[in-house]
Amino acid sequence: MRPSSSPAPRCSLSPGTMSKIGEVVQRARAAFNLGKTRPLQFRIQQLEALRRMIKEHEKDIAGALTADLHRNEWNAYYEEVVYVLEEIEHVIKKLPEWAADEPVEKTPQTQQDECYIHSEPLGVVLIIGTWNYPFTVTVQPMVGAIAAGNAVVIKPSELSENMANLLATVIPQYLDRDLYPVINGGISETTEVLKERFDHILYTGNTAVGKIIMMAAAKHLTPVTLELGGKNPCYVDKDCDLDVACRRIAWGKFMNSGQTCVAPDYILCDPSIQNQIVEKLKKSLKEFYGEDAKKSRDYGRIINSRHFQRVMGLMEGQKVAYGGTGDAATRYIAPTILTDVDPQSQVMQEEIFGPVMPIVCVRSLEEAIQFINQREKPLALYVFSLNDKVIKKMISETSSGGVTANDVVVHNSVHSLPYGGVGNSGMGSYHGKKSFETFSHRRSCLVRPLLNDESLKARYPPSLAKMTRH
Amino acid sequence: MDPVADTLRRLREAFSAGRTRPAEFRAAQLRGLGRFLQEHKQLLRDALAQDLHKSAFESEVSEISITQSEINLALRHLRAWMKDEKVPKNLATQLDSAFIRKEPFGLVLVIAPWNYPVNLTLVPLVGALAAGNCVVLKPSEFSRSTEKVLAEVLPRYLDQSCFAVVLGGPQETGQLLEHKFDYIFFTGSPRVGRIVMSAAAKHLTPVTLELGGKNPCYVDDDCDPQTVANRLAWFRYFNTGQTCVAPDYVLCSPDTQERLLPALQSAITRFYGEDPRSSPNLGRIISDKHFQRLRGLLGCGRVAIGGQSDESERYIAPTVLVDVEETEPVMQEEIFGPILPIVNVRSLDEAIDFINRREKPLALYAFSNNKQVVKRVLAQTSSGSFCGNDGFMHLTLDSLPFGGVGASGMGSYHGKFSFDTFSHHPRLPCCAAPGWRRSTPSATRPTHLAS
C-alpha cells in the first residue's frame, strides 16, 4: 500500500490510515470483480513474478531474517525460501490440471447430462502471517490463494518487523498492486482489517487469537483456516537408536531457537533412558552449535523481550541438565534441557516456543498415551522406536494434526501432504493441491439439454397412480 | 444440574474408549439406521404428513429413499473410505511411506431443520457415524411429529452409549452450544448460522453450515416455455416451496414472461388440479409464523397466478407474482414458500449483474436452448451449486458435493463428501522400522552432519 520507490516504510500506520484499510480492501474487491484473475495465464504470470521477486531479493530476505531472528543465509534459504520456491514450481505446473472441470460419476437418470465439479475463486482472501517463519507462513499461503484466482490481502506479523517492511516494499514492485496489497500494523490495524468482509481468512498463530479471528469471521460467515499450535509430544521408546533419535530431535527442537510450531515441545521417556537422552542431546547440540551456542551463526535468537522473559521464566524451579542461561540484551537463550519435569509445572502448561526441552518420565507406552490424551490435541506428534507395533499403537490411540515416526518436522515439507491442525491446534489445511482447494469454491454443476419432457413425465404429480393416498 | 453435560460426558468416554473405531461397529450403526427407516416407514410418512402435509410420493422420493441410498452407499464403501490414502512424496522423504489417515473428530453435534426433517437429520448422521464419531442429534422442534419419532424410536436402533438426541428450542440449543464439540454440522438460516459459528469459535470447533439464500433462475428468450414452466413449477412448489435449493425467483424478459405465465398456469393445473387445496400432492406451511410471513409477501407486485390462502390449514396456493420491485420484501428475503416472483431484465448481462449484486445463493439455475447462454451464466456468477435447464436434480448425484458458498454456507456433504467432512485427515510420513539408520539427504540439515 506504499509507493514502491520510497525507502522502507515504518511498520505502524499513521492516524487517518484506518479508513485507508477499508479502501485497500475495497480496491482489491473491485479488481477481483473485474475478472482480472480468472484467466489461468494471469495467475501464472503473477506466480512467476513472485518467483522472480524471491530470487532477486534472496539477500534482502535473508537480511530481514537475520535482523528479526538471527538467522543466517544458509538456513534462511533451506528453512524458508526453498519451500516457497518448491511450492510455486509445483503449483504452476499443476494449475491447469487442478483448475479444470472435474467430471463425476453419473446416475442412470443423468447419463445424457454434463455432471462435474467446477472450481472457482472465492473472492478476496486475507492471509495473516506470524513472526517465526515470517517469510514462509505469509508467502506460501499466498501462492495457493493466487493460483485459485483470488485477490489476496496480506497482513504480515508486526513482530518480525524487518520482514514486514520488506514484504510491503517488494511485493507491490512485482505483483498487481490492487489485487495483492500488503497491510502492516499492530493489534489496532489487525482489528480494523478484521472488520472488513473477506471470502476466506487464513491465520497462522496462537490459539487465543485464533478464537478471536474465528469470532470475527463468524459475523460475515467467512470460512477460516487456522494454523495454530500446541505442545507437540515426542515419545522416545526404550527400543530405539538413541544416537540418531537425539540428533534428529535436537535438530527439530532447537532450529530457530525453538520457535517452530511443529517442533517437538517435550520428551516423554522411561526414567531408565533419561540420562542417556540428555547426554546424546548435549552431544548433538555441541556438534551443531559448538560449546557456546551464542557464538554460532546457526543458532537463532528470541523474537522479542516479552517472549525472552516468558521462556526464561519457564525454567524457574526446574532441574537444569544443560544450558539454563540467557542474555536479555541479545535475546539469546542457551539450548536448555530440563529433567524430571513435573507435569503440573508452568513449562508443561503452555507451548514453550523456545529452546527449552523438558523431559517428563513415564513408565510405559500406555502411560505416555494417556498423558498425551489428557491434553489438547497438538499440531504434531513424534514417536521414536524400532518397534513397528509401538509406532502403530501410538498413532492409532492419539490424535494430532500430523505424526512423524522416527524423525521430526519433515512431514511439513511434503507438499502432497496437507498441513494443518485439529482441535486447539487448528482447522483446515493447506500446501500444494490442498491450498488450491482451500482457496477455491468447488461448485457442483449439472447441465442438461432443454429437451422435451416426455422422459421426465414420471416425476411430475399427480402421483395418485404411483402411490396410495395416505 | 445440567443433564446435557452428563450425556456429553458419557459419549466422550465411549469415544475415548475407542468404541466407534472398528468398522464393524460403524457398519452395525448404519444397518441399525437402515432398519429404523424400513420398519417405521409408515410412521415416518405419517409424521411428515402431520408436520408438512407431505405426500407419500414426496416423502418417499425426498426423505426416505434418499436417506436409504446414503446408508447403502456408506455401507458399501465404508472400509475403502476408512483406508489410509497413500500420497506421492518429495525428494527429502523419498525413502519413507507417506499417507493421510482418516480419523473421527470425536463428539459431533448435528443440528437439523424442519423442512426435510428426515433427510436433513439422518443424512448428516450417516456421515458422522460412518466416520466413527459419537453423535448428538438436535432435530428441529418445528417438525414436531418427526421430532417425536426421532427422539423416541430412533435411539432404540443405535448404540446409545455413542448416540443421543437432545430436544428443545432456541434457548436449549443455545445452552447446548456452550458445551464443547469436536465438530458441528448445522442446517438452517444464515442468521442462526452466524450464531452457531460464533459459539463454535469459543471452542475452536470446525463447522459445516448448510444455509440458504435467494436462488435465481434465469430464463432465456430462446426456450420452450412449457418445458421450462413444468420444471420451474415442479421444483418451486415441491414441499410447498420450503426447499433451500428451490428456484426462488425468475429473471426474464417481458416477452418471455408473457409466454411463461400461461405455461406455468398449465403446469400448476396439471400437477395440482383445478383446486390445488384439495390436491394430496401439495403440502402446507410448517407453522403459523411462516404462514403469516408468506401471506404478507402475497401483497408484493401483482398476483398473476394463485394468491389464495387459508389460515386454518396454513394453505397457500401455488402463486406467481409479476411487476415485482427489487426493493419489495419478496425480493429481500428467502421466500421458502409456494410463491414465485418474476423480475424483468432486458438482457443476459442485466440478469448477471442483478445476480452478482446479491449474496451468493445456494443454487443457481439457467434455462436456454443455447448452451452458450447457460455456460455464460455459470462462468460469470457464483453459487453453491448450479443446474442448467432443470431444477435441483444435481442433488440426486452422490458424486457431487452439496453445500453453499459465502452467505449460503461453508463445507459440503453427501456420499463420500459426508465421510470426509466428519473426519479429520492427519498426515503421516513414517520411516520404515528396519533400515532406518540409512542416511537421509543432507540438504535439510546443518551441512557438517552425516545423518
Side-chain angles (χ1 to χ4, degrees):
Chain A
M1 53 183 291
R2 304 278 177 163
S4 55
S5 51
S6 55
R10 285 177 52 77
C11 204
S12 57
L13 301 176
S14 46
T17 46
M18 292 305 200
S19 58
K20 291 223 172 97
I21 288 177
E23 278 169 34
V24 165
V25 177
Q26 291 320 308
R27 210 161 40 237
R29 192 168 281 290
F32 173 78
N33 287 341
L34 287 175
K36 264 173 154 179
T37 61
R38 298 307 184 111
L40 294 195
Q41 205 40 50
F42 176 86
R43 308 179 201 180
I44 290 173
Q45 272 163 17
Q46 295 297 305
L47 292 173
E48 286 170 344
L50 187 62
R51 181 172 55 198
R52 248 187 353 263
M53 179 194 98
I54 296 171
K55 291 192 165 156
E56 288 171 12
H57 288 274
E58 232 177 83
K59 280 200 155 20
D60 296 322
I61 294 169
L65 290 170
T66 303
D68 286 328
L69 290 149
H70 198 259
R71 301 262 206 85
N72 63 40
E73 263 182 46
W74 188 93
N75 64 34
Y77 187 80
Y78 283 105
E79 285 165 18
E80 295 231 32
V81 173
V82 74
Y83 294 126
V84 180
L85 287 177
E86 265 181 18
E87 178 95 354
I88 294 175
E89 280 316 311
H90 182 63
V91 167
I92 288 178
K93 195 168 90 174
K94 293 291 203 173
L95 184 56
E97 183 191 313
W98 294 346
D101 288 339
E102 194 189 312
V104 299
E105 203 182 312
K106 302 191 221 188
T107 57
Q109 295 80 22
T110 50
Q111 285 303 317
Q112 307 307 319
D113 308 326
E114 287 174 50
C115 308
Y116 56 94
I117 299 172
H118 173 72
S119 286
E120 5 186 281
L122 290 167
V124 183
V125 167
L126 172 64
I127 292 172
I128 302 179
T130 191
W131 52 262
N132 62 339
Y133 290 88
F135 182 74
T136 316
V137 302
T138 315
V139 181
Q140 189 161 4
M142 251 183 97
V143 174
I146 293 174
N150 300 288
V152 188
V153 175
I154 300 122
K155 165 68 188 71
S157 168
E158 68 278 19
L159 295 191
S160 40
E161 199 177 327
N162 295 281
M163 183 58 73
N165 287 338
L166 178 64
L167 292 176
T169 309
V170 296
I171 288 178
Q173 288 172 359
Y174 288 79
L175 300 186
D176 184 301
R177 291 175 192 194
D178 291 330
L179 288 167
Y180 313 112
V182 179
I183 297 183
N184 271 329
I187 294 178
S188 40
E189 285 81 6
T190 309
T191 307
E192 210 52 40
V193 171
L194 285 169
K195 289 187 185 150
E196 298 292 319
R197 184 178 182 182
F198 294 95
D199 300 294
H200 194 101
I201 299 175
L202 186 145
Y203 166 73
T204 308
N206 67 58
T207 301
V209 177
K211 290 181 182 172
I212 294 171
I213 306 263
M214 191 171 170
M215 292 278 293
K219 294 194 176 77
H220 295 294
L221 286 171
T222 299
V224 299
T225 298
L226 303 174
E227 302 274 334
L228 309 176
K231 290 184 77 58
N232 306 319
C234 181
Y235 175 71
V236 182
D237 196 33
K238 279 194 279 195
D239 178 15
C240 103
D241 181 334
L242 285 178
D243 283 303
V244 182
C246 291
R247 183 173 299 128
R248 293 178 179 186
I249 291 170
W251 172 71
K253 171 76 189 187
F254 294 97
M255 66 165 64
N256 205 25
S257 210
Q259 298 163 115
T260 305
C261 46
V262 287
D265 186 277
Y266 63 96
I267 289 175
L268 289 169
C269 70
D270 190 278
S272 63
I273 53 171
Q274 186 178 219
N275 287 340
Q276 282 184 72
I277 289 178
V278 170
E279 288 315 305
K280 290 174 195 294
L281 282 174
K282 275 159 73 167
K283 180 158 169 282
S284 291
L285 286 169
K286 289 179 186 164
E287 277 172 21
F288 297 168
Y289 308 116
E291 287 293 334
D292 181 8
K294 196 166 175 194
K295 301 197 174 96
S296 165
R297 286 196 63 230
D298 291 308
Y299 192 72
R301 295 292 180 270
I302 305 302
I303 185 67
N304 65 15
S305 308
R306 180 170 67 84
H307 279 287
F308 173 86
Q309 299 300 341
R310 181 186 63 79
V311 177
M312 289 302 293
L314 295 178
M315 298 189 228
E316 271 165 39
Q318 300 291 346
K319 256 203 254 173
V320 176
Y322 187 66
T325 55
D327 169 34
T330 53
R331 298 192 306 276
Y332 161 82
I333 297 182
T336 299
I337 304 170
L338 309 174
T339 51
D340 296 317
V341 174
D342 175 4
Q344 306 303 324
S345 56
Q346 191 55 33
V347 75
M348 287 305 294
Q349 302 308 313
E350 59 183 78
E351 186 174 0
I352 294 165
F353 229 65
V356 175
M357 177 66 101
I359 302 180
V360 174
C361 290
V362 289
R363 258 148 247 284
S364 65
L365 175 60
E366 286 71 26
E367 198 184 318
I369 290 174
Q370 206 186 15
F371 188 95
I372 291 168
N373 286 341
Q374 274 162 1
R375 302 168 134 67
E376 293 297 344
K377 295 175 189 176
L379 191 52
L381 196 149
Y382 300 107
V383 48
F384 284 83
S385 179
L386 285 167
N387 183 341
D388 228 10
K389 288 202 176 69
V390 167
I391 295 175
K392 284 196 158 57
K393 192 173 155 83
M394 177 60 87
I395 292 178
S396 65
E397 293 183 21
T398 58
S399 186
S400 62
V403 180
T404 301
N406 297 323
D407 207 340
V408 296
V409 174
V410 279
H411 58 277
N412 307 298
S413 71
V414 183
H415 50 58
S416 48
L417 285 180
Y419 173 70
V422 65
N424 270 23
S425 58
M427 59 181 73
S429 56
Y430 72 114
H431 280 193
K433 185 175 188 205
K434 196 70 180 85
S435 281
F436 182 84
E437 288 171 4
T438 291
F439 294 117
S440 301
H441 169 51
R442 300 184 75 218
R443 187 182 190 189
S444 291
C445 297
L446 172 64
V447 181
R448 348 186 74 164
L450 193 57
L451 297 174
N452 70 48
D453 256 354
E454 285 315 297
S455 57
L456 298 174
K457 236 172 37 174
R459 71 184 187 188
Y460 296 138
S463 56
L464 276 181
K466 292 190 282 286
M467 318 259 330
T468 47
R469 291 173 72 153
H470 52 78
Chain B
M1 262 302 290
D2 184 358
V4 167
D6 282 339
T7 304
L8 299 185
R9 198 178 23 86
R10 196 168 40 83
L11 261 49
R12 265 203 197 287
E13 276 164 12
F15 181 77
S16 301
R19 296 209 64 178
T20 59
R21 300 304 189 113
E24 297 75 48
F25 177 87
R26 306 180 198 189
Q29 298 307 294
L30 293 171
R31 281 194 296 268
L33 190 55
R35 271 196 321 274
F36 161 74
L37 271 189
Q38 290 314 309
E39 289 172 21
H40 297 283
K41 203 182 263 204
Q42 195 52 50
L43 186 62
L44 286 167
R45 279 198 211 150
D46 291 342
L48 291 164
Q50 272 156 43
D51 286 332
L52 290 146
H53 197 261
K54 220 178 268 236
S55 68
F57 174 68
E58 283 196 13
S59 294
E60 185 57 41
V61 146
S62 65
E63 301 258 25
I64 295 169
S65 282
I66 208 157
T67 306
Q68 190 63 61
S69 288
E70 286 277 333
I71 294 170
N72 295 343
L73 189 82
L75 280 169
R76 212 161 45 240
H77 295 287
L78 183 62
R79 281 164 174 81
W81 291 350
M82 283 173 70
K83 270 208 179 85
D84 292 336
E85 229 177 273
K86 274 197 177 283
V87 288
K89 300 151 290 194
N90 68 8
L91 208 57
T93 52
Q94 256 323 305
L95 302 170
D96 312 325
S97 66
F99 51 97
I100 297 170
R101 171 149 296 190
K102 319 295 173 60
E103 283 183 3
F105 277 102
L107 185 56
V108 165
L109 171 63
V110 174
I111 302 176
W114 49 261
N115 59 335
Y116 291 86
V118 173
N119 176 346
L120 299 180
T121 314
L122 299 184
V123 173
L125 179 61
V126 169
L129 291 173
N133 298 286
C134 285
V135 188
V136 173
L137 211 59
K138 163 66 191 77
S140 171
E141 68 277 22
F142 292 108
S143 38
R144 228 167 270 147
S145 304
T146 311
E147 184 200 41
K148 195 155 185 283
V149 177
L150 293 173
E152 290 172 14
V153 184
L154 174 59
R156 294 184 223 153
Y157 289 79
L158 299 175
D159 185 323
Q160 294 189 48
S161 67
C162 303
F163 172 80
V165 178
V166 172
L167 304 180
Q171 199 180 13
E172 288 80 8
T173 309
Q175 281 163 6
L176 186 58
L177 284 167
E178 280 170 20
H179 295 276
K180 179 174 176 172
F181 292 92
D182 301 305
Y183 203 91
I184 298 176
F185 187 100
F186 170 78
T187 307
S189 71
R191 184 187 68 83
V192 181
R194 286 187 182 87
I195 296 171
V196 171
M197 189 172 170
S198 299
K202 296 194 179 80
H203 297 290
L204 284 173
T205 300
V207 300
T208 288
L209 305 175
E210 298 272 328
L211 309 176
K214 291 184 76 59
N215 307 320
C217 182
Y218 173 70
V219 181
D220 195 38
D221 290 341
D222 179 9
C223 75
D224 166 44
Q226 192 59 62
T227 307
V228 173
N230 290 346
R231 293 173 191 197
L232 256 183
W234 194 65
F235 286 98
R236 168 77 278 193
Y237 304 115
F238 193 93
N239 201 30
T240 331
Q242 297 163 119
T243 306
C244 48
V245 282
D248 185 279
Y249 65 96
V250 168
L251 290 167
C252 69
S253 68
D255 278 345
T256 297
Q257 177 179 299
E258 283 317 301
R259 294 182 298 140
L260 265 182
L261 284 174
L264 281 167
Q265 179 65 74
S266 168
I268 289 169
T269 307
R270 172 182 160 188
F271 296 165
Y272 308 110
E274 293 291 340
D275 178 24
R277 193 165 152 185
S278 58
S279 165
N281 298 302
L282 186 65
R284 296 293 181 267
I285 305 306
I286 183 68
S287 67
D288 292 328
K289 181 175 132 197
H290 280 286
F291 173 82
Q292 297 300 344
R293 179 184 65 80
L294 286 164
R295 197 159 68 171
L297 297 183
L298 291 170
C300 299
R302 175 173 61 83
V303 174
I305 299 173
Q308 301 87 356
S309 64
D310 182 333
E311 193 165 346
S312 63
E313 277 182 42
R314 296 198 296 275
Y315 162 78
I316 295 188
T319 298
V320 177
L321 301 176
V322 295
D323 301 338
V324 167
E325 297 290 326
E326 208 179 325
T327 47
E328 292 185 82
V330 78
M331 285 307 294
Q332 295 301 314
E333 57 180 81
E334 186 175 357
I335 294 167
F336 229 65
I339 299 170
L340 184 66
I342 301 182
V343 173
N344 291 140
V345 286
R346 284 157 303 185
S347 65
L348 176 56
D349 279 333
E350 200 183 313
I352 289 174
D353 274 341
F354 188 96
I355 292 169
N356 287 338
R357 277 205 304 274
R358 308 166 107 67
E359 294 294 345
K360 293 176 189 177
L362 190 53
L364 208 150
Y365 302 102
F367 286 85
S368 178
N369 283 325
N370 183 342
K371 206 191 226 175
Q372 293 317 308
V373 168
V374 171
K375 292 281 166 121
R376 224 187 110 192
V377 176
L378 169 57
Q380 295 183 327
T381 59
S382 187
S383 62
S385 54
F386 176 88
C387 189
N389 292 327
D390 210 344
F392 44 86
M393 267 308 283
H394 53 285
L395 258 63
T396 61
L397 282 90
D398 52 53
S399 53
L400 285 175
F402 175 60
V405 65
S408 57
M410 59 181 77
S412 62
Y413 72 122
H414 280 186
K416 180 168 192 274
F417 302 103
S418 293
F419 181 88
D420 288 339
T421 286
F422 288 105
S423 29
H424 140 64
H425 303 138
R427 63 229 176 270
L428 279 67
C430 278
C431 298
W436 71 301
R437 289 163 190 252
R438 68 192 170 277
S439 62
T440 43
S442 56
T444 50
R445 306 195 192 262
T447 42
H448 48 284
L449 297 177
S451 71

